[in-house]
Amino acid sequence: MISKTVKEKTVNLFFILPALSLFLVFSFYPLIRTFQLSFFEWDGIVPQMKFVGFAQYVHILTKNPVFWKSMLNAAYITILALTLQNGLALLLALLVNREIKGDNIFRTIFFLPPVLSGIVVGLIWKWIYDGNYGVLNHFLTVLGIQGFVNFAWLAEIKTSLTAVAVVHMWKGFGYGFIILLAGLQTIPRELYEAAKVDGADAWQQFKHITVPSMISVFTIVAILTILGSMQIFDLIYSMTRGGPAGHTHVPITKIYEYMANGEFGYATAMAVVFGLILLVVSVGQIEMSRRSRK
Amino acid sequence: MNDKVRQLIIDIITYSILIIIALSCIFPVFWMFSSSLKTQDEVFTKMNLLPEKWQFANYSLAWVKAKFGSYFLNSAIYTVTGVFGVVFLSSLAAYGFARLEMWGKNFFFYLLISTLLIPVPGVFVPLYLLLKNLGLLDTRTGLVLCYISGGLAFGIFLLRSFFEELPKEIEEAALIDGASKFGIYWRIALPLARPAIATLIIFNSLTIWNEFLLALVVLQDKAKMPIQRGLMVFQGTHITDYPLLMAGLTIATIPVLVIYLLMQKHIVKGIAAGALKG
């Protein structure tokens, strides 16, 4: 009998074995390897990997302004997305939640940009922003706004990062909108009815019913926004490649660039630093929401 | 009366905001589609909303000469094989995790799930080296294996909870009838899991079809590139051939639009449920 369960437990492993082996080789092993490689200086070609300990980490944190610049760029995009994009998403969710006519049409349209590929979106907008042939400058001229004839939005240091951030927000707000709307719909209507009876106006209802009920949903949307915005790649790659003069580089485009230049050890060290920062930020977010609920 | 007027004003403001945002969502997509039917001249000299004469020939040019046909087929191959792999392997494993006793069950399960929760940027660097060592760099197999592996954790997570909710009686009856474990999974559990599998198919199709970074890292041979890479290749060499580029973008977008509009309720539900449960 005992031997039968031993045999069973072993035979049953065959159910998870195909998935597990693929996962271990192509997902888990690269993860472990990232940490290991980060302690070596290696171009990926020579047989001898040079052990350098934490030297690459120290270099990234103290002698690499380009890394910090790329972090700041990603942080800038993230902060815009957290405030403007999610603010807009919440406003739209509140409006659609009022049981208006045609809410399904709006839902379909708002969630269209998130399902498009980053490359497609990036290439359309790259052309919209084009100085000479872009429709944006044409539109501004028609509206009578002066000074933007031949203005290349993505090539100007002053505007390039914000221009990319706008596209990122255009593509992303529908995602937050869908989640926030689903959250709003779980709040019992009776709560609002009762508040109305007590004479609470719309603002008070929002402050005392909507916000407290939505704290965990806000946290989820915030974390998804942070992780999505910090790890932006396709849009940057298709619109600016990190230019002009590195002004739109973000951590992932930098990691990719180091790798493309054959600096495998350095690229992985940067990936570890960046990954830890992301982890700290998202854990911090969860902690903050826990405290605010108490 | 006063209340009615106030209500009307609120409605007008509400709809104005919604319609303006909706238009800004649609316009870039509309512009892409409209421009794909214009002539080169028209694109450079006018900014009309609709083409003067619809140039459907742009599409045959894009399909054949710009090689978007071949890129499109590659994307189709990667999406179909990738989704099939994810669904088959994760349903098999999920059934094992949900219903069968085995060594290290919890350990393996949490190992898989942990990758869903921890952000791991830059894994493409060691992945590139791994594929190089396995001789899978610049191969279709290498790319598809990466896609399948990337979809497993979510697939197993989703299907395991689905299989756990199935009533055990059905399987017990089948066991008494002498069905094998694999037979029960294949003939009973899998057909019952259709709704969850539909969700998995939709999400993985969109993800793989739209994926770019891995396709960039793994492939160098144009003949094997999916359409997202093909678009970048075309754009790099014909920087101002806007009508053809827009035709290519439209070709890349049509399958996504079709899936989205057909499965819209499913997608929206899946996103909302996934986020609120997680």
Side-chain angles (χ1 to χ4, degrees):
Chain A
M1 197 66 220
I2 284 175
S3 67
K4 186 174 179 245
T5 49
V6 168
K7 193 181 153 211
E8 282 238 331
K9 277 187 161 184
T10 311
V11 170
N12 288 346
L13 276 175
F14 280 94
F15 273 81
I16 64 165
L17 211 58
L20 192 67
S21 38
L22 202 62
F23 169 84
L24 288 175
V25 174
F26 289 94
S27 298
F28 192 69
Y29 168 75
L31 185 70
I32 304 299
R33 188 98 162 108
T34 305
F35 284 96
Q36 187 234 345
L37 279 169
S38 67
F39 295 105
F40 291 86
E41 199 179 299
W42 194 38
D43 63 0
I45 299 163
V46 291
Q48 208 50 44
M49 291 164 64
K50 189 175 153 211
F51 181 78
V52 291
F54 283 97
Q56 295 180 127
Y57 285 97
V58 173
H59 188 274
I60 286 164
L61 294 170
T62 59
K63 293 199 185 70
N64 189 343
V66 176
F67 167 72
W68 290 110
K69 175 85 180 114
S70 75
M71 283 294 297
L72 279 177
N73 287 343
Y76 174 76
I77 295 172
T78 303
I79 288 164
L80 281 183
L82 278 173
T83 49
L84 292 179
Q85 174 193 313
N86 288 345
L88 179 68
L90 180 62
L91 173 72
L92 296 171
L94 289 167
L95 293 178
V96 172
N97 197 38
R98 293 176 57 233
E99 295 188 357
I100 54 158
K101 286 196 188 78
D103 59 334
N104 260 334
I105 297 170
F106 289 119
R107 211 175 303 196
T108 305
I109 293 173
F110 295 158
F111 199 65
L112 175 66
V115 297
L116 301 174
S117 90
I119 298 297
V120 166
V121 169
L123 291 177
I124 297 174
W125 278 88
K126 188 181 182 184
W127 184 33
I128 290 175
Y129 280 134
D130 188 277
N132 303 317
Y133 310 114
V135 71
L136 177 61
N137 288 347
H138 172 76
F139 186 68
L140 293 174
T141 310
V142 167
L143 286 180
I145 298 166
Q146 300 297 316
F148 288 106
V149 178
N150 298 344
F151 185 84
W153 294 87
L154 292 171
E156 293 284 340
I157 286 171
K158 274 200 208 97
T159 54
S160 55
L161 190 61
T162 309
V164 171
V166 166
V167 180
H168 175 69
M169 292 191 280
W170 176 85
K171 192 177 184 313
F173 84 89
Y175 193 61
F177 161 82
I178 290 288
I179 297 168
L180 291 165
L181 184 60
L184 287 174
Q185 286 170 340
T186 59
I187 304 173
R189 296 247 167 225
E190 296 81 52
L191 286 178
Y192 292 106
E193 301 296 334
K196 264 186 207 152
V197 172
D198 292 342
D201 60 30
W203 169 246
Q204 285 170 321
Q205 288 176 36
F206 176 74
K207 206 172 122 184
H208 295 293
I209 300 169
T210 313
V211 172
S213 325
M214 292 283 283
I215 291 242
S216 59
V217 183
F218 288 155
T219 309
I220 292 160
V221 173
I223 289 174
L224 290 173
T225 306
I226 292 169
L227 292 180
S229 306
M230 291 299 286
Q231 298 187 73
I232 180 174
F233 178 86
D234 294 8
L235 285 179
I236 306 271
Y237 192 87
S238 54
M239 286 199 283
T240 63
R241 292 274 169 108
H247 277 270
T248 56
H249 258 303
V250 287
I252 304 278
T253 56
K254 273 327 280 184
I255 292 168
Y256 175 77
E257 203 176 65
Y258 285 126
M259 180 185 116
N261 293 337
E263 298 177 65
F264 285 85
Y266 199 80
T268 51
M270 188 161 166
V272 174
V273 172
F274 179 51
L276 289 174
I277 291 171
L278 286 184
L279 192 65
V280 168
V281 172
S282 46
V283 168
Q285 265 280 300
I286 295 169
E287 267 308 302
M288 260 168 50
S289 86
R290 267 208 197 120
R291 278 184 202 169
S292 64
R293 250 180 289 178
K294 273 169 192 165
Chain B
M1 187 61 211
N2 206 351
D3 260 4
K4 265 195 180 159
V5 171
R6 217 180 121 210
Q7 193 54 47
L8 186 72
I9 290 170
I10 290 178
D11 277 351
I12 289 172
I13 293 171
T14 299
Y15 276 104
S16 307
I17 296 172
L18 290 174
I19 288 166
I20 288 169
I21 301 293
L23 285 176
S24 76
C25 279
I26 292 173
F27 178 77
V29 182
F30 165 82
W31 193 240
M32 161 186 92
F33 185 65
S34 162
S35 308
S36 73
L37 294 162
K38 291 178 180 174
T39 61
Q40 192 71 331
D41 263 0
E42 209 178 332
V43 160
F44 285 125
T45 54
K46 296 193 186 72
M47 289 283 177
N48 39 343
L49 276 179
L50 287 167
E52 284 171 333
K53 265 176 88 182
W54 296 47
Q55 306 291 324
F56 288 106
N58 286 350
Y59 278 84
S60 53
L61 274 177
W63 190 262
V64 182
K65 269 190 109 163
K67 299 213 169 58
F68 285 119
S70 126
Y71 295 134
F72 184 95
L73 287 177
N74 286 334
S75 277
I77 291 169
Y78 299 140
T79 305
V80 171
T81 48
V83 168
F84 176 82
V86 169
V87 170
F88 179 59
L89 295 185
S90 50
S91 63
L92 191 63
Y95 183 76
F97 281 125
R99 281 290 194 261
L100 305 171
E101 281 309 310
M102 61 189 76
W103 305 109
K105 182 160 121 170
N106 283 344
F107 171 77
F108 289 136
F109 180 72
Y110 288 115
L111 188 70
L112 279 158
I113 299 309
S114 67
T115 54
L116 283 178
L117 305 170
I118 301 166
V120 205
V123 162
F124 57 86
V125 182
L127 200 54
Y128 169 90
L129 295 168
L130 172 72
L131 290 171
K132 197 171 149 188
N133 291 339
L134 295 172
L136 290 172
L137 209 59
D138 206 16
T139 65
R140 295 175 189 278
T141 313
L143 186 62
V144 170
L145 287 175
C146 292
Y147 285 158
I148 295 174
S149 183
L152 288 175
F154 176 70
I156 290 171
F157 177 71
L158 184 86
L159 290 171
R160 174 177 169 257
S161 54
F162 191 92
F163 286 138
E164 277 181 338
E165 282 165 20
L166 288 180
K168 280 207 166 92
E169 292 77 17
I170 308 173
E171 290 154 86
E172 280 160 4
L175 261 182
I176 293 164
D177 292 342
S180 69
K181 282 178 201 147
F182 184 83
I184 294 172
Y185 150 79
W186 186 249
R187 282 201 295 274
I188 296 168
L190 208 52
L192 284 173
R194 236 175 253 151
I197 286 174
T199 305
L200 214 53
I201 291 176
I202 295 164
F203 278 94
N204 281 292
S205 303
L206 290 175
T207 305
I208 297 176
W209 185 272
N210 286 341
E211 205 284 330
F212 176 74
L213 180 52
L214 283 173
L216 175 69
V217 170
V218 175
L219 299 176
Q220 278 160 359
D221 179 359
K222 280 183 194 160
K224 296 179 191 133
M225 284 179 186
I227 194 150
Q228 308 299 338
R229 278 225 46 201
L231 291 168
M232 289 305 294
V233 169
F234 180 85
Q235 198 261 343
T237 42
H238 308 85
I239 200 136
T240 54
D241 196 340
Y242 290 118
L244 275 202
L245 178 64
M246 293 300 136
L249 293 173
T250 308
I251 288 170
T253 305
I254 283 172
V256 172
L257 276 182
V258 171
I259 290 182
Y260 175 55
L261 294 175
L262 286 178
M263 302 289 170
Q264 195 226 123
K265 282 221 158 62
H266 234 90
I267 293 173
V268 166
K269 255 200 214 124
I271 294 271
L276 297 185
K277 271 184 203 152

